[in-house]
Amino acid sequence: MDSTATRTLPFVYKYKNHKGQDCESRLDITFPFDQENLEECITQLMAPNQMDPMMRYLDENIKLERELQKFVDTEQQNFLDDQAEKLLKQAANEEMDIEAIVRDTERLYKEELLQFADRVGPSDADIFAQSFHRLVHSSSLEDILKRERAYAKVVSDMTDLMDSEVETLNNSQQQEMDSQINQLDITTTSEDINNLLAQQYTTQNYVRKRYESELEAMMGHQKNEYRNWITSQVSQMFQVSPVATPLGNRSSMFVSQQPSMEESFTIHLGSQLKHMHNIRILSANVTELCSPLHAEESLNGLNMALGLYSSSLCGVVVLTPSIQAQANKNIIKNANKSTEFHFEQIDVQMEKIEKQIKNLTTEDSSGSSTSNSSAEGSGTPSPTKKSVPRLKTGDFFITKHSNLSQTHVIFHLISDEPINSPSEINSRHPVILGLRNILKTASRHDITTLTIPALLRHEMSEDMTVQWCIRRAELVFKCAKGFMIESASWGGAELSTLQLLLPDDISESLFTTLAGMVPSVFHVANPKILVDTSK
Amino acid sequence: MGTRERERECRLCAVTFFAKLHPGDVCGSNGLPLTPNSIAILGRAQKLKELQDEHLCQYLDVIRGKHERTIVVSEYLGLSLEDYAMRHPPLAIAQILRIFYQVACGINVLSRHHLVAHNVEPKHILLSSDGQRVKLFNYGLHHMTKGGAYVPFPIGNIRYMAPERLLGLNGNVKSDVWSLALVMVELILQIELWPKLKLSNVVRKILAFGKSNGALEKIAREHQCHERYVQMDQRLRQLLESCLSVLPKRRPLPGELLEHPIFEEVLLDLKKQKMQPLSPETEHLPLLLRCPLSQIYHLWQLAGGDVQAELKKEGLIRSEAPILGLPQIVRLSGASVCPGRSQAQLMDDRVVPLRLKALLQRLSGLPAAVYFPLLHSPRFPAHFARELQELPLVIREKDIEYQFQRVRLFARLLQGYPHTAEQLQREAAVDVPPLLRGPIWAALLEVVPNGSYAKIDKFTSTSTDRQIEVDIPRCHQYDELLSSPDGHRKLRRLLKAWVTAHPQYVYWQGLDSLTAPFLYLNFNNEELAFLSLFKFIPKYLQWFFLKDNSAVIKEYLSKFSQLTAFHEPLLAQHLASISFIPELFAIPWFLTMFSHVFPLHKILHLWDKLMLGDSSYPLFIGIAILRQLRSTLLTSGFNECILLFSDLPDIVMDGCVLESQKMYEATPKSITHRQHALRLQPPQALDIGVADVELKHLQQEQCPRISAKDVQFLLDNSPAELALIDLRSVVEFGRVHVPHSINIPFATVQLGEQRLEALQVPQLEAQLRGKIVVCVSNIHQHSVEFSHFLVACGVQRTCILHKGFNVLHSIEPNILISN
């Protein structure tokens, strides 16, 4: 379609100057004309090289504007009419692909206007989310938690049982093996040992598989039962008048879990208009933040349930190497300690994500970036080497959870920093940019409490000197601050609490040093002192 | 409830849609992040608010919600043509022509403003319940979204779309003529266009018109009503056929359409209607509905109206659990894998009425004099709700009855301006209603628009362009209006115009912040914004924008130090002792009149008072800020102070305004004397002469000088507020002195010990407390030294008599006495 065509016409303005002489002023005007530019054109027509500056004071600009406006209006109309005529003729002569236009128009209307869209009702997940959210904000909250806890108990008992049985089996097998090895070259051959090994492996595998399939069946059953129960409760609730929740839904209201060290600050960001945020710096193991929800009697269950479908979600950033996009083993284990009633069990989520990664990679290599219609952005993904289906540093994937203690959402951020040689990075490093994307995603999806690893490491190592830690923490603090200031213009949810996570094996003195940096990097709010001004 | 009543209550409505998200992570050409589309829409939509025409529904507000949601509030009327036609089938041809004519009028007005609707359809044509008045609705969508570029959805109903628009050509007003003609054809032929056709086939049909002649006949045949087509009035048929010419060139312009002879009768009819006396119906219209809609909407909001809540109630803002929409993978580039878009994100063109019932009831009890205040009849004083004036400003600004009264009063006063300038000033001293702040400020600054802004060159490039270009995207960008591309363009024009209009001045960084409040308040009236700025700068910042402004600034800051010592002696003493001089922190305060350090909503309240004071008022604001931070400052060293001021903490503006006002009123004018201040009249004999006090004096003397005139005034009017310390010898004092003055001969005092008691004057502290302490001597140096001593002792309001004791001899009638 040739809608970018332009046309340039000369405009000549004839007038009498202050001495009464006939003069003219001319300017080439390009169509299509933007009305915004009218005044600029007048300025050009009255520029000193065209017209005596005196004419401005003689109100020549008023007449000039009138004439120019008339000229522009007429010519603009002509231009548009001619352009339309040209295109319509092309269309009539079938010089353009009418079918493509029909297709595109139809697609646009169907995809963007509710009126024409194929109406699909709200999805099951959506309905369940709404029912649960209602229910959890009613007097049934306690029943829900009780039930969840009971279910969790069953599952965790069974996993414990499996663990212990596997362990006993291990021990006995070990003994058997030891005795065999002792007898090596006396009564047994290496072949015997190999056979035994194979046999032991099979037995163990069998035991494990048996439990796993049992667990899977159990979880499936629990999930079904639970969801049916929730749905039935909601329909009951409609019959009785709803009772208000005893508690608000600010999920960050109580954090009962005690990390080893922590300090909190209230900060103001922004140069003129200031936004308030909370910063908490703490040292803890990241898996503690993602511990099983129902393991201990705590208020967390309530917090997490209230917040789950709200618009104040909690998220945690967990670093993971790119070798194989895989979640932290301990977190997987924690997530499997009980049934995931709301989302898919973490293994299934991971499987799907892996599949998506493979898709992504094949798309990359085939060079088409727009074939995935559900992709939010159309930025061209950088091409990766063929047959290495994996994410790169700075990319991240997301898993959703309802059965972990302090998080609904885990951002698995790819970082390939070698464990034992701390490197230097700057603010343009992919991991930092990935962090920015995480904050952006958080803002877009109402995640208002976010925990980030402040050293971009989950464990301390020998080579992480105090100097290095200070440099690294400063970089992360400053970048986080920058992103938070920027986030004010993203138009999403404001991050109310940012948690800076330090490894749990950090020394107390280093923790104090790093915590001391927070107020100097972020501008800590001054306490407001109210003084009686009437005296 | 009758339809008429319902119609009254549904004067306002809202529609909502989502702006397009920027894909991935992209930056603009200036390296800064791209402006969200919703902000760009907000900026463009402001222009639409200015459109007022009897055939157009007025735009009232554009609101930006979370996640790029945009909500548009506009006028509503009766019911849509769609509903009306359904209720009154079939419409008489005369009525159809009336509708035809009035909508064409609306389109014509739009085209005169260089706008096109591009979404003309029965839903967007509104009729009053009696079917007489017709207004075009939602016509601004195409403009505010920049021809649809800022939104993901297409604009316009496909059935009524002109063929060239399907080919991607927008902006031609004749496309609207086509749509309007098709809507009329539906009414005249009593059909519904292609009711059962699939979308794609509708598109094919429209495109196929290009190959045939006579779209009208074709439509008539296709809908089995060729008979009606044949029976149609010849002129009408020709008119419709010309409107439905495939080539836009052959279609009439809306202006030409209106000239068509077929509308003669309609025209006569409408004229007759206008000539008719007020019908009983309008006479019984609630008074509120005779007020401008913008005021009604403002009050509706004050009365607790919440557009977002209304939309939620109607299910237009569906809150889907955010966790369900999370992406699964996000790449570094910003590309992501997401679950499918939920349908809650799609364009839903339902219109939600905003009901006025509660507001009407609330205000129905007010007397008519509040609705239409009488300004010049002393018999009807506008004394309504005076008792509310004692309440804090924030409460007054939220009080609906109070605001209503203020808005009505000021609207009247502004209509009478400049004749009413004095009364306006008086009322503004009480408070300024936020709705009318822009024009009120302009009136306080004595602005009279005269078209001069249009003559100023705002486009020729100058050497300051680069700096302006850098400053604009950093100026109050948290504000939606100022961060929109339209806001940037307007600010650039204003700044360039100011620079061109002042060849003697240069652009100093900070002028952008200074301009921002005026632009914010007069977004649609650049001339008013410019003239306000034009008047504001000489009033408060005379000579500040000279290329070499060091002398001016030094004098200003020295005066600031003196006044700090005058009102806060201990604080001044402390700051001086740690060498924390005003040059280190106060230049941006005064150069931008605090607009660089505070967010807009605080500046507005601050400037409300500033506008009423003279050029010295800002100095007191500065002191009020210091006073608020006093306890922190007194315990801080140099470094802490620098840090504290590098990012000014949250200042309570209410307190700041009150304090500064108190100080301003309690300070004699001559105390604030500056050589460079704007002077309205030449100084008199007893005033401080223009060039009497040089910069070096200001810098040497910690205390300001007071003029003999002010001393005389205090002696005459409030002697209890004055404490005069006569430093001459006892003999001289005995010969002649001012009554009630305290004689402390300078020669006898020891100033080494900084305690008042050391002077051994009984109850001196009590005599000085709360008064203006004037040091008088024959020898100027004595006064200076003694005043320094008093400041060190923490005595407030110490000053020195300018020209010493002898000047008092010249006062007539004589004020001196002798023992």
Side-chain angles (χ1 to χ4, degrees), chain A residues 87-104:
Chain A
L87 273 186
L88 285 166
K89 284 217 168 107
Q90 276 178 18
N93 299 338
E94 282 165 26
E95 282 165 35
M96 57 169 82
D97 189 355
I98 297 292
E99 276 313 302
I101 294 172
V102 172
R103 233 177 9 250
D104 289 347

Tab-separated table of all heavy atoms in Angstrom, chain A residues 87-104:
chain	number	residue	atom	x	y	z
A	87	LEU	N	-5.479	4.771	-5.247
A	87	LEU	CA	-5.566	3.453	-4.612
A	87	LEU	C	-6.836	2.719	-5.028
A	87	LEU	O	-6.807	1.513	-5.299
A	87	LEU	CB	-5.554	3.607	-3.094
A	87	LEU	CG	-4.178	3.647	-2.436
A	87	LEU	CD1	-4.330	3.643	-0.933
A	87	LEU	CD2	-3.336	2.455	-2.866
A	88	LEU	N	-7.933	3.453	-5.094
A	88	LEU	CA	-9.195	2.809	-5.448
A	88	LEU	C	-9.127	2.266	-6.871
A	88	LEU	O	-9.669	1.197	-7.158
A	88	LEU	CB	-10.343	3.803	-5.301
A	88	LEU	CG	-10.747	4.096	-3.853
A	88	LEU	CD1	-11.634	5.317	-3.765
A	88	LEU	CD2	-11.449	2.886	-3.240
A	89	LYS	N	-8.458	3.006	-7.749
A	89	LYS	CA	-8.322	2.527	-9.124
A	89	LYS	C	-7.497	1.259	-9.154
A	89	LYS	O	-7.817	0.303	-9.853
A	89	LYS	CB	-7.673	3.613	-9.985
A	89	LYS	CG	-8.657	4.711	-10.327
A	89	LYS	CD	-8.436	5.234	-11.751
A	89	LYS	CE	-9.589	6.102	-12.174
A	89	LYS	NZ	-9.218	7.530	-12.197
A	90	GLN	N	-6.416	1.294	-8.357
A	90	GLN	CA	-5.574	0.090	-8.289
A	90	GLN	C	-6.387	-1.099	-7.823
A	90	GLN	O	-6.273	-2.203	-8.337
A	90	GLN	CB	-4.415	0.314	-7.317
A	90	GLN	CG	-3.231	1.031	-7.955
A	90	GLN	CD	-2.144	1.267	-6.932
A	90	GLN	OE1	-2.120	0.626	-5.891
A	90	GLN	NE2	-1.250	2.193	-7.247
A	91	ALA	N	-7.223	-0.834	-6.810
A	91	ALA	CA	-8.021	-1.922	-6.247
A	91	ALA	C	-9.013	-2.429	-7.288
A	91	ALA	O	-9.194	-3.634	-7.468
A	91	ALA	CB	-8.748	-1.443	-5.000
A	92	ALA	N	-9.633	-1.478	-8.004
A	92	ALA	CA	-10.623	-1.867	-9.002
A	92	ALA	C	-9.982	-2.664	-10.128
A	92	ALA	O	-10.571	-3.597	-10.666
A	92	ALA	CB	-11.304	-0.616	-9.546
A	93	ASN	N	-8.749	-2.297	-10.473
A	93	ASN	CA	-8.051	-3.010	-11.537
A	93	ASN	C	-7.334	-4.273	-11.037
A	93	ASN	O	-6.544	-4.859	-11.750
A	93	ASN	CB	-7.027	-2.097	-12.212
A	93	ASN	CG	-7.718	-0.904	-12.834
A	93	ASN	OD1	-8.917	-0.961	-13.114
A	93	ASN	ND2	-6.984	0.173	-12.997
A	94	GLU	N	-7.596	-4.564	-9.769
A	94	GLU	CA	-6.994	-5.745	-9.149
A	94	GLU	C	-5.484	-5.729	-9.231
A	94	GLU	O	-4.842	-6.748	-9.467
A	94	GLU	CB	-7.583	-7.016	-9.743
A	94	GLU	CG	-8.956	-7.277	-9.154
A	94	GLU	CD	-9.756	-8.292	-9.927
A	94	GLU	OE1	-9.103	-9.132	-10.574
A	94	GLU	OE2	-10.986	-8.237	-9.868
A	95	GLU	N	-4.943	-4.538	-9.016
A	95	GLU	CA	-3.495	-4.451	-8.968
A	95	GLU	C	-2.972	-4.712	-7.566
A	95	GLU	O	-1.778	-4.692	-7.327
A	95	GLU	CB	-3.031	-3.055	-9.435
A	95	GLU	CG	-3.062	-2.908	-10.946
A	95	GLU	CD	-2.957	-1.456	-11.363
A	95	GLU	OE1	-2.252	-0.702	-10.670
A	95	GLU	OE2	-3.596	-1.079	-12.363
A	96	MET	N	-3.890	-4.832	-6.641
A	96	MET	CA	-3.424	-5.165	-5.298
A	96	MET	C	-4.170	-6.384	-4.784
A	96	MET	O	-5.200	-6.779	-5.307
A	96	MET	CB	-3.579	-3.962	-4.363
A	96	MET	CG	-4.977	-3.421	-4.256
A	96	MET	SD	-5.068	-2.246	-2.931
A	96	MET	CE	-4.450	-0.772	-3.692
A	97	ASP	N	-3.615	-6.953	-3.739
A	97	ASP	CA	-4.142	-8.212	-3.220
A	97	ASP	C	-5.334	-7.935	-2.319
A	97	ASP	O	-5.195	-7.708	-1.115
A	97	ASP	CB	-3.026	-8.930	-2.448
A	97	ASP	CG	-3.454	-10.333	-2.079
A	97	ASP	OD1	-4.636	-10.681	-2.336
A	97	ASP	OD2	-2.619	-11.069	-1.535
A	98	ILE	N	-6.520	-7.915	-2.957
A	98	ILE	CA	-7.728	-7.616	-2.194
A	98	ILE	C	-7.934	-8.630	-1.078
A	98	ILE	O	-8.281	-8.288	0.047
A	98	ILE	CB	-8.955	-7.625	-3.135
A	98	ILE	CG1	-8.829	-6.514	-4.189
A	98	ILE	CG2	-10.248	-7.460	-2.343
A	98	ILE	CD1	-8.934	-5.126	-3.646
A	99	GLU	N	-7.672	-9.883	-1.410
A	99	GLU	CA	-7.923	-10.943	-0.412
A	99	GLU	C	-7.074	-10.719	0.838
A	99	GLU	O	-7.507	-10.982	1.956
A	99	GLU	CB	-7.672	-12.327	-1.021
A	99	GLU	CG	-8.859	-12.877	-1.782
A	99	GLU	CD	-10.180	-12.735	-1.021
A	99	GLU	OE1	-10.273	-13.256	0.103
A	99	GLU	OE2	-11.117	-12.085	-1.550
A	100	ALA	N	-5.856	-10.232	0.627
A	100	ALA	CA	-4.990	-9.983	1.781
A	100	ALA	C	-5.593	-8.899	2.664
A	100	ALA	O	-5.581	-9.017	3.895
A	100	ALA	CB	-3.597	-9.564	1.321
A	101	ILE	N	-6.146	-7.879	2.006
A	101	ILE	CA	-6.765	-6.803	2.789
A	101	ILE	C	-7.948	-7.346	3.570
A	101	ILE	O	-8.107	-7.081	4.758
A	101	ILE	CB	-7.224	-5.663	1.852
A	101	ILE	CG1	-5.997	-5.000	1.213
A	101	ILE	CG2	-8.056	-4.644	2.608
A	101	ILE	CD1	-6.342	-4.008	0.138
A	102	VAL	N	-8.758	-8.136	2.893
A	102	VAL	CA	-9.925	-8.716	3.564
A	102	VAL	C	-9.475	-9.534	4.769
A	102	VAL	O	-10.009	-9.405	5.871
A	102	VAL	CB	-10.716	-9.613	2.583
A	102	VAL	CG1	-11.811	-10.366	3.311
A	102	VAL	CG2	-11.293	-8.767	1.465
A	103	ARG	N	-8.464	-10.356	4.533
A	103	ARG	CA	-7.972	-11.223	5.601
A	103	ARG	C	-7.471	-10.405	6.789
A	103	ARG	O	-7.858	-10.630	7.929
A	103	ARG	CB	-6.848	-12.105	5.053
A	103	ARG	CG	-7.072	-13.569	5.310
A	103	ARG	CD	-6.017	-14.461	4.706
A	103	ARG	NE	-4.848	-13.841	4.159
A	103	ARG	CZ	-4.550	-13.777	2.857
A	103	ARG	NH1	-5.379	-14.288	1.979
A	103	ARG	NH2	-3.426	-13.221	2.446
A	104	ASP	N	-6.624	-9.419	6.465
A	104	ASP	CA	-6.032	-8.621	7.541
A	104	ASP	C	-7.091	-7.864	8.332
A	104	ASP	O	-7.056	-7.821	9.560
A	104	ASP	CB	-5.017	-7.624	6.966
A	104	ASP	CG	-3.773	-8.325	6.475
A	104	ASP	OD1	-3.622	-9.521	6.827
A	104	ASP	OD2	-2.979	-7.699	5.749
